[in-house]
Amino acid sequence: MELLARHGRARWTSESTYGTASKTLRRFLRDAAASEPPITAVDQINVFWWKAWSQDFTVRRSFGSVLQASPQLPAETRSYMAAPRRKPTAEKKTAPKHAHSKADLKTVRDAAAATVRSARLRIEKNVALMEQWRNGALTEGSPDWAWGQMLDHISRTGDVPRYAGRHRVLTKETRRLMGDERVVSALARLFPTVLEIAAASVLLIIHEGWNLSVLRKMQVPSFPNADGDAGSPAVHRLATEKARRGKKRRHSSNNLVDVGEGSSGWAMKQVLDLTRQARLTLERLGRPSPMLLLARRGIGGPENLGSLREGSALEQAIADWVRDQRASGVHLPPRTSAQPLRHSAQIHHGRARNNTQATQDSDYLLKDETVREDSRDVVESGLSKAVEHARERVQMRLVARATGDTEYDAEQVAKAAGIDLETAMNITKGRLKTPVASCTDYENSDFGPAGKPCGVSFLLCFACRNAVATARDLPRIAYLHHVIEGLRSTLTAAAWTADWQGHHARVSDFLNTHTSQDGRAELIPTLAQADRDLIDGMLDRRLDP
């Protein structure tokens, strides 16, 4: 134990790493004591025994670094432990990974969202019944009244009513009310199950590309744009911790913007609603928890209500959820597990998420087989075209008098933009809205192959012929220009030229053409906070496809 603690203090930054090493230590001590003759001291570990014990188990071999800290380890054994075993070939290092297609990823996301939605609605229904009982709105003695009373007990104690004693026998009233229903099902009326929390984890992985070590430690978000009690905060700010980044870079934050169903902020709200009652019960029990992912496990007492932080519990829960979905007839793609889903999310998000751009390029994009195959077409038909158009003048049109208040506005838009009346009507009604304008043809962008959805930043709307702005878009555009102007003083000249100069020039050109400087100053104060957050999220690349 002393060797393990000394080695860990110098090198390890993750609680899960300590947990894995502790399990290996227990196995090591058991097997050493069971050997013939028993090994009772470090100086008795010879090469023959170590080679047989470690074999091809990576975790066991890595434990050798702990033992090498002891001066009593025999020199021959130390040399054997230190020698590299079976260096990976260059081919293995660069072996391509296989991302799920967007269609397969959507299938998994929809299945996870369906599981979370079903669980959330079940819990909301039972919470409402419990509140009716508490308010005296149910007829005493009726089945609903009896269940309301039971749910109140569960919410206060984390368990169904039982007789006192170590055997936890159910009371007669509990057995009579539950009938054939299992205790697990009764508790699930208020608390999410392990499989439902697994589905919530899958949903967050697909939306944000988080790995399991981050999810296990994830806490309830804060709401920078609203009070914590707000029904629908637009932004959920998540503090994340990734130990592999080192002490200086392990902590960061993510802003999840809720712009409706299908957005990452919307997904987070579903998870918060799903676990709210579990948090309230833990607080009532004197065990308040800040953790996001809370579940009710097993059939024991209230101690089984909590987070899935230890070891591989969350990974196993996801595997069990996948198995359950397939058994119920949902056709999930092969390799539906945490790591392939995270890899696929990173590939299809198109930008670095929760890692550096260098890591995104080397560990995800360059290793993905589909990206390798499509890179030539992407460069020729997408990126080269984007560069060409990005250098051209502003293409986005403005219909300044159209506000969407009357049918006459649609006719104005159709005439001024040269589009059909139906598309113009959709623009005035806000059905084709982007953060900076409206898009008349999402599947035929100026910056990608024809017939495929647009996959570039909304900043390039200003250079796209499909973009049409109206008067109601001008405050957001003015605010966008103001924020980009502010970036100028914080960036190096090289970074400004490479990443922002072209966008700034197009936004400036657009505003100079259609507004005055005084007019722009008057537009920004009229902008709602939600619209400011939307533009901020766009500039943070949180809204990219």
Side-chain angles (χ1 to χ4, degrees):
M1 288 298 294
E2 181 182 349
L3 290 175
L4 184 71
R6 188 192 313 160
H7 185 83
R9 280 196 299 270
R11 295 169 179 81
W12 298 335
T13 57
S14 169
E15 179 182 347
S16 61
T17 303
Y18 275 98
T20 301
S22 299
K23 291 179 182 178
T24 307
L25 173 62
R26 286 194 291 270
R27 180 62 182 267
F28 170 81
L29 294 175
R30 275 200 311 268
D31 293 347
S35 65
E36 291 292 341
I39 294 176
T40 59
V42 174
D43 60 8
Q44 297 172 359
I45 303 174
N46 57 43
V47 173
F48 176 79
W49 185 87
W50 175 258
K51 185 176 181 179
W53 185 78
S54 61
Q55 295 181 8
D56 289 331
F57 296 100
T58 302
V59 174
R60 294 192 192 181
R61 285 203 309 272
S62 66
F63 188 71
S65 61
V66 175
L67 298 174
Q68 289 177 63
S70 171
Q72 281 77 41
L73 186 69
E76 298 83 0
T77 309
R78 185 188 306 278
S79 298
Y80 180 82
M81 289 179 175
R85 305 265 88 81
R86 298 192 308 175
K87 287 185 178 181
T89 62
E91 180 181 357
K92 184 175 181 180
K93 284 183 179 179
T94 59
K97 299 179 180 180
H98 303 269
H100 292 297
S101 67
K102 284 189 176 181
D104 283 346
L105 202 61
K106 183 178 184 300
T107 297
V108 180
R109 186 194 68 186
D110 290 348
T115 300
V116 172
R117 184 183 300 109
S118 175
R120 178 178 60 79
L121 293 175
R122 178 192 72 234
I123 292 172
E124 285 181 357
K125 177 182 176 181
N126 283 283
V127 167
L129 180 63
M130 177 179 67
E131 293 300 329
Q132 285 182 299
W133 182 85
R134 288 174 174 174
N135 294 331
L138 300 175
T139 302
E140 186 171 352
S142 68
D144 280 350
W145 184 91
W147 270 111
Q149 185 180 45
M150 168 85 82
L151 293 171
D152 176 71
H153 181 90
I154 293 174
S155 74
R156 290 183 288 102
T157 67
D159 198 7
V160 296
R162 303 173 187 264
Y163 290 118
R166 62 189 182 92
H167 296 297
R168 294 181 172 177
V169 178
L170 302 180
T171 65
K172 292 181 180 179
E173 293 78 8
T174 301
R175 293 198 301 272
R176 185 183 306 113
L177 179 60
M178 289 176 52
D180 295 332
E181 185 171 348
R182 299 171 59 203
V183 171
V184 172
S185 299
L187 296 172
R189 289 176 176 245
L190 290 183
F191 310 129
T193 67
V194 171
L195 294 191
E196 289 161 353
I197 289 301
S201 302
V202 167
L203 192 61
L204 295 177
I205 289 171
I206 293 175
H207 273 286
E208 286 297 310
W210 284 316
N211 59 28
L212 291 180
S213 67
V214 172
L215 286 172
R216 279 195 293 263
K217 294 177 283 188
M218 187 165 287
Q219 299 187 4
V220 173
S222 60
F223 309 102
N225 71 315
D227 295 331
D229 296 332
S232 299
V235 179
H236 305 268
R237 178 166 294 166
L238 271 296
T240 59
E241 181 182 356
K242 197 172 184 180
R244 288 185 181 179
R245 288 180 173 175
K247 294 181 179 179
K248 293 184 178 180
R249 297 175 54 245
R250 66 185 297 168
H251 296 285
S252 60
S253 63
N254 298 70
N255 289 334
L256 275 58
V257 183
D258 187 352
V259 290
E261 186 168 355
S263 66
S264 58
W266 174 86
M268 177 56 65
K269 184 178 185 303
Q270 308 309 299
V271 178
L272 288 170
D273 291 345
L274 174 68
T275 55
R276 180 175 292 112
Q277 182 58 52
R279 262 185 293 280
L280 292 174
T281 296
L282 285 172
E283 188 173 354
R284 191 82 178 261
L285 291 171
R287 295 190 288 122
S289 174
M291 308 310 295
L292 174 66
L293 300 176
L294 300 173
R296 183 58 167 76
R297 296 171 289 179
I299 59 175
E303 67 276 6
N304 283 342
L305 179 63
S307 63
L308 305 179
R309 294 193 63 180
E310 65 279 358
S312 59
L314 188 55
E315 185 175 13
Q316 183 59 50
I318 291 175
D320 292 341
W321 174 78
V322 171
R323 192 179 303 112
D324 182 74
Q325 290 292 297
R326 287 176 175 155
S328 63
V330 178
H331 298 291
L332 298 181
R335 299 180 300 106
T336 299
S337 58
Q339 185 55 37
L341 290 174
R342 180 174 187 266
H343 173 78
S344 303
Q346 296 279 15
I347 292 299
H348 293 306
H349 285 157
R351 66 175 180 83
R353 288 200 174 198
N354 307 298
N355 50 43
T356 65
Q357 188 60 49
T359 300
Q360 171 76 357
D361 293 340
S362 62
D363 291 358
Y364 292 93
L365 297 179
L366 293 181
K367 288 186 178 181
D368 187 78
E369 189 175 63
T370 303
V371 171
R372 289 181 176 185
E373 292 176 354
D374 293 346
S375 60
R376 184 185 301 274
D377 293 337
V378 170
V379 170
E380 291 179 356
S381 65
L383 298 181
S384 61
K385 192 173 183 181
V387 171
E388 175 188 347
H389 281 277
R391 291 173 178 169
E392 293 181 359
R393 62 184 178 83
V394 174
Q395 298 285 345
M396 188 167 78
R397 294 154 287 175
L398 173 69
V399 184
R401 296 183 180 179
T403 62
D405 295 331
T406 66
E407 188 173 336
Y408 174 70
D409 288 326
E411 297 174 357
Q412 286 266 86
V413 171
K415 183 177 179 180
I419 58 178
D420 61 86
L421 185 59
E422 182 180 356
T423 303
M425 184 70 73
N426 286 332
I427 289 176
T428 59
K429 297 299 183 184
R431 296 168 184 157
L432 303 178
K433 181 181 176 182
T434 75
V436 296
S438 294
C439 182
T440 62
D441 195 349
Y442 177 67
E443 294 189 345
N444 287 286
S445 167
D446 280 349
F447 302 102
K452 292 187 178 180
C454 180
V456 300
S457 167
F458 290 116
L459 286 168
L460 285 173
C461 288
F462 292 89
C464 183
R465 290 169 293 180
N466 293 332
V468 176
T470 64
R472 65 184 172 207
D473 297 312
L474 287 176
R476 289 195 304 278
I477 296 173
Y479 177 70
L480 170 65
H481 183 265
H482 172 73
V483 175
I484 295 179
E485 283 277 358
L487 289 173
R488 209 167 189 169
S489 62
T490 66
L491 299 173
T492 64
W496 171 262
T497 301
D499 297 333
W500 296 101
Q501 188 172 20
H503 298 307
H504 176 262
R506 280 186 291 276
V507 178
S508 298
D509 188 16
F510 181 87
L511 287 173
N512 289 336
T513 301
H514 300 293
T515 67
S516 66
Q517 189 167 356
D518 291 339
R520 293 197 291 274
E522 294 173 0
L523 287 171
I524 294 177
T526 68
L527 194 64
Q529 185 61 44
D531 285 328
R532 292 172 184 261
D533 293 333
L534 187 64
I535 295 298
D536 292 339
M538 182 187 78
L539 291 176
D540 287 339
R541 306 298 296 274
R542 305 296 299 166
L543 305 183
D544 285 6

